[in-house]
Amino acid sequence: MSEKRAAEPGPSQVGKKRKKEVKAEMSHAVTEETLKRQMAEAWSSRTPFRHDAIVMDMDPFLHCVIPNFIQNQNLVEELQKELLNLNFHEKCNDLYKFHQSDDLKKRREPHICALRKILYEDFRTWISDISKMDLESTIDMSCAKYEFSDALLCHDDELEGRRIAFILYLVPPWDRSLGGTLDLYSVDEHFQPKQIVKSLVPSWNTLVFFEVSPVSFHQVSEVLSEEKSRLSISGWFHGPSITRPPMYLEPLLPRSPHIPQDHEILYEWINPTYLDMDYQIQIQEEFQESSEILLKEFLKPEKFAKVCEALEKGDVKWNSRGPPNKRFYDKAEESKLPDILKDCMVLFRSEAFFLLLSNFTGLRLHFLAPSEDETEDKKVGEAATVSADIEEGTSHSSLEPEADPVAGGSSSPQSGEQSTPDPGEVTEEDAAKEGSSVPMCHGELRGWKTGHYTLIYDNIKTEFALDLLFYCGCEGWDPEFGGFTCYIAKGEDEELLTVNPESNSLALVYRDKETLKFVKHINHRSLEQKKTIPNRTGFWDFSFVYYE
């Protein structure tokens, strides 16, 4: 047994215990009754309010900035130390890349406890009073550390019950050139984010909070400092859910049937290796094993050089594609493309190319490609033995000149008949009504540079499809720059497949209804590409999707 016995609690013991407790206090100016009343009136009338202790603005949505949020500066410094001693875990997906601490909800460090108390007791009461919201005591807070090239892309924070979002900054001296700003977006008539109209620069011991709503679109811009970290504590106050407008559904992308074009276009453009029947059999076997394949040196060198030259010359008219909560990249205006680029688009839409893709993949993208019933009892290796009887459809329809299945643009087994649909665009909805009897495609020429990305979003339409990506201008490109296409299963973060940009390479990926894809945010590391090729700050791709 111990020789000492625990002392009975007395005044001295209680005093010592109190000494260890840390108490935080929020800015006294903010809690002053006159200011609170003025804030409540401004909140109710949705008018801006400015004071040395707080600034509230309504543009583009209600947000407030409170400098010197915590009274005791020493406490803030100790809080920073406690946070930096926590374990941080990398968080990375389509929307963000940063490091997040262990959950702060139950941490017992004294200064973290003090902050949690002030936020979810004093500050919650204060906000409830001025906003007239009945905010719950639910604790929802974490610490985030953003370092060089980290970012959080455009989103609205909406999740059932979230009413107020807050961020407390614990950063070293910071300015706009270091990135990491909190960017606020305006919205269009469909409540979709339009453009950044305000950027808030992080500042030590400054608290920013805003009302979570269907229009509260914001982002954390990429951190550009290689020396400084952007440390912050963020979370939400929860309350009764608000009524939301119906979710906006974008117009469906137009799809086109193939363009009548015989096999000559393939011999003009494509590396002869890929037109060899035996090699096509190997490609199909590999593709059917893994549902993806990368075909390197796909175009003839002279054709590829001309395509790159046209892209480099800058005669292409580019339009930015949004909205930024779904995508941000440049799309070429096809009607104004230089001839060589128009011809390349025609190649990927041509009837001959549809048939070639059927041979590469085994998918029914042409009437000469076999249906599942026709191939059910056949091994892939037997395909070559039936290539002579081309009109009945084979796994590998010959593309040799003497056995030309699409000569003169004919797509009918009967000589002289033309049954190919006129090349015109139909919507995805029209295609669905027609059924899957007519293979379709949608394609665009895209430009990628620093800051570009695509995101996975809630109302995305998923279906069976073959993705094609053909890359140009990727010399010196490193996966660390971003810009790679990532495939994941619905509801999962783990990658199923990553396709990295590689010049003159054709990537084919077959995806099902449970597979989603995104192009990873291109960060400022990509500017290093200039070391390899002066004035180059990105790459291009021809992006097509084919439907059986």
Side-chain angles (χ1 to χ4, degrees):
M1 288 182 66
S2 171
E3 294 180 3
K4 291 186 178 180
R5 173 167 76 89
E8 294 296 325
S12 61
Q13 296 290 323
V14 172
K16 286 181 181 177
K17 187 175 180 182
R18 282 178 179 166
K19 256 186 176 179
K20 292 180 182 177
E21 287 182 350
V22 174
K23 186 177 179 183
E25 291 185 24
M26 57 188 283
S27 170
H28 292 319
V30 173
T31 57
E32 198 270 322
E33 284 303 317
T34 302
L35 189 144
K36 272 185 68 177
R37 186 177 64 255
Q38 292 171 339
M39 279 283 295
E41 291 171 357
W43 189 297
S44 177
S45 62
R46 300 280 154 162
T47 55
F49 177 80
R50 292 188 174 274
H51 186 279
D52 290 343
I54 188 168
V55 174
M56 181 169 67
D57 205 348
M58 303 296 160
D59 186 25
F61 49 85
L62 191 153
H63 62 279
C64 298
V65 180
I66 306 177
N68 301 310
F69 175 69
I70 294 175
Q71 287 285 333
N72 189 330
Q73 287 295 320
N74 183 60
L75 185 148
V76 184
E77 291 170 5
E78 293 302 315
L79 171 65
Q80 182 191 47
K81 291 176 185 177
E82 286 181 358
L83 293 169
L84 290 174
N85 282 328
L86 298 177
N87 293 317
F88 281 82
H89 314 278
E90 185 177 22
K91 307 284 286 183
C92 185
N93 62 14
D94 61 316
L95 184 65
Y96 49 69
K97 183 173 81 75
F98 64 93
H99 287 78
Q100 190 174 52
S101 74
D102 295 332
D103 189 1
L104 300 184
K105 184 176 181 178
K106 295 180 180 179
R107 298 301 303 188
R108 290 292 172 256
E109 289 82 353
H111 297 85
I112 293 176
C113 287
L115 178 69
R116 191 167 59 228
K117 181 178 173 64
I118 191 177
L119 284 173
Y120 287 92
E121 292 182 16
D122 302 349
F123 187 60
R124 177 174 62 87
T125 301
W126 181 84
I127 290 186
S128 292
D129 289 345
I130 66 169
S131 67
K132 304 299 185 286
M133 291 184 196
D134 184 17
L135 298 177
E136 301 165 4
S137 58
T138 306
I139 294 173
D140 192 349
M141 61 187 287
S142 63
C143 178
K145 183 166 60 173
Y146 289 77
E147 297 178 322
F148 180 55
S149 81
D150 287 350
L152 171 59
L153 304 177
C154 181
H155 64 292
D156 61 8
D157 263 14
E158 272 216 294
L159 201 64
E160 195 65 33
R162 287 181 181 175
R163 297 302 306 275
I164 300 289
F166 67 84
I167 312 102
L168 176 65
Y169 296 110
L170 300 170
V171 295
W174 203 274
D175 61 49
R176 196 176 298 271
S177 68
L178 301 178
T181 53
L182 178 64
D183 298 333
L184 312 183
Y185 287 82
S186 61
V187 295
D188 62 19
E189 67 275 16
H190 304 295
F191 302 106
Q192 295 291 287
K194 193 174 178 181
Q195 61 188 16
I196 296 168
V197 295
K198 190 170 187 178
S199 294
L200 303 175
V201 179
S203 180
W204 174 262
N205 193 19
T206 293
L207 184 101
V208 174
F209 69 93
F210 59 85
E211 192 174 33
V212 176
S213 74
V215 300
S216 56
F217 288 101
H218 60 284
Q219 72 167 12
V220 175
S221 68
E222 183 184 349
V223 170
L224 306 180
S225 172
E226 296 191 56
E227 293 81 31
K228 295 182 178 182
S229 294
R230 180 191 188 274
L231 191 72
S232 64
I233 293 173
S234 59
W236 296 271
F237 295 107
H238 297 255
S241 297
I242 60 173
T243 304
R244 302 174 185 174
M247 183 176 289
Y248 173 67
L249 299 176
E250 292 183 284
L252 298 172
L253 295 173
R255 297 178 183 176
S256 306
H258 64 236
I259 299 172
Q261 193 89 30
D262 66 26
H263 69 283
E264 291 298 335
I265 193 171
L266 304 183
Y267 292 105
E268 180 186 348
W269 278 83
I270 295 174
N271 182 337
T273 303
Y274 295 112
L275 304 182
D276 177 80
M277 289 298 301
D278 291 334
Y279 196 44
Q280 288 177 27
I281 293 171
Q282 293 179 38
I283 290 171
Q284 188 181 117
E285 288 175 344
E286 184 177 335
F287 182 86
Q288 291 183 333
E289 181 72 25
S290 59
S291 297
E292 56 93 9
I293 197 165
L294 184 69
L295 307 178
K296 299 187 177 186
E297 304 302 323
F298 186 73
L299 294 189
K300 288 183 172 180
E302 61 274 18
K303 281 290 189 183
F304 182 67
K306 288 180 179 179
V307 168
C308 291
E309 182 184 1
L311 290 166
E312 291 277 10
K313 281 181 70 176
D315 293 335
V316 179
K317 178 173 173 52
W318 299 98
N319 297 310
S320 181
R321 273 212 75 196
N325 63 323
K326 296 176 181 176
R327 62 189 74 87
F328 178 45
Y329 61 85
D330 291 336
K331 177 186 176 182
E333 194 169 313
E334 196 167 338
S335 63
K336 297 182 180 179
L337 285 177
D339 289 344
I340 186 70
L341 299 180
K342 280 184 181 177
D343 292 345
C344 193
M345 296 291 282
V346 169
L347 168 70
F348 293 127
R349 290 195 177 102
S350 69
E351 180 174 4
F353 196 79
F354 269 63
L355 181 54
L356 181 64
L357 287 178
S358 295
N359 287 357
F360 284 161
T361 64
L363 298 174
R364 193 167 173 78
L365 294 171
H366 193 278
F367 81 92
L368 288 174
S371 66
E372 289 184 13
D373 291 339
E374 292 170 326
T375 58
E376 194 173 36
D377 299 321
K378 295 179 183 178
K379 295 179 180 178
V380 175
E382 294 174 349
T385 67
V386 295
S387 61
D389 195 0
I390 231 168
E391 292 181 356
E392 293 181 13
T394 65
S395 291
H396 290 80
S397 305
S398 172
L399 289 165
E400 299 296 333
E402 63 270 19
D404 173 20
V406 289
S410 172
S411 47
S412 168
Q414 287 77 36
S415 177
E417 280 190 30
Q418 176 69 37
S419 62
T420 304
D422 291 333
E425 291 186 335
V426 296
T427 65
E428 293 177 13
E429 189 175 10
D430 293 332
K433 289 177 183 175
E434 289 181 23
S436 58
S437 58
V438 180
M440 297 276 183
C441 78
H442 166 76
E444 57 188 5
L445 171 57
R446 307 184 295 186
W448 298 96
K449 60 188 178 185
T450 307
H452 284 172
Y453 58 86
T454 68
L455 298 176
I456 293 167
Y457 45 97
D458 292 341
N459 60 340
I460 188 171
K461 180 179 172 64
T462 56
E463 55 190 309
F464 291 96
L466 176 69
D467 292 337
L468 176 152
L469 292 167
F470 179 74
Y471 291 104
C472 306
C474 308
E475 298 82 6
W477 195 263
D478 190 303
E480 281 198 358
F481 302 166
F484 51 82
T485 299
C486 188
Y487 289 82
I488 63 170
K490 270 186 181 178
E492 303 288 337
D493 280 341
E494 188 175 347
E495 298 171 2
L496 300 173
L497 171 70
T498 297
V499 180
N500 288 306
E502 188 172 338
S503 285
N504 201 9
S505 289
L506 185 85
L508 298 175
V509 180
Y510 186 66
R511 54 185 163 88
D512 61 20
K513 293 182 178 181
E514 298 302 312
T515 304
L516 303 171
K517 63 175 179 176
F518 64 90
V519 177
K520 184 62 180 174
H521 173 254
I522 298 176
N523 59 58
H524 276 68
R525 294 180 192 272
S526 62
L527 300 179
E528 295 174 16
Q529 190 188 28
K530 290 182 179 180
K531 296 177 183 177
T532 306
I533 304 177
N535 302 318
R536 177 71 63 78
T537 57
F539 63 89
W540 306 272
D541 67 20
F542 291 82
S543 172
F544 278 75
V545 183
Y546 297 85
Y547 306 88
E548 290 183 282

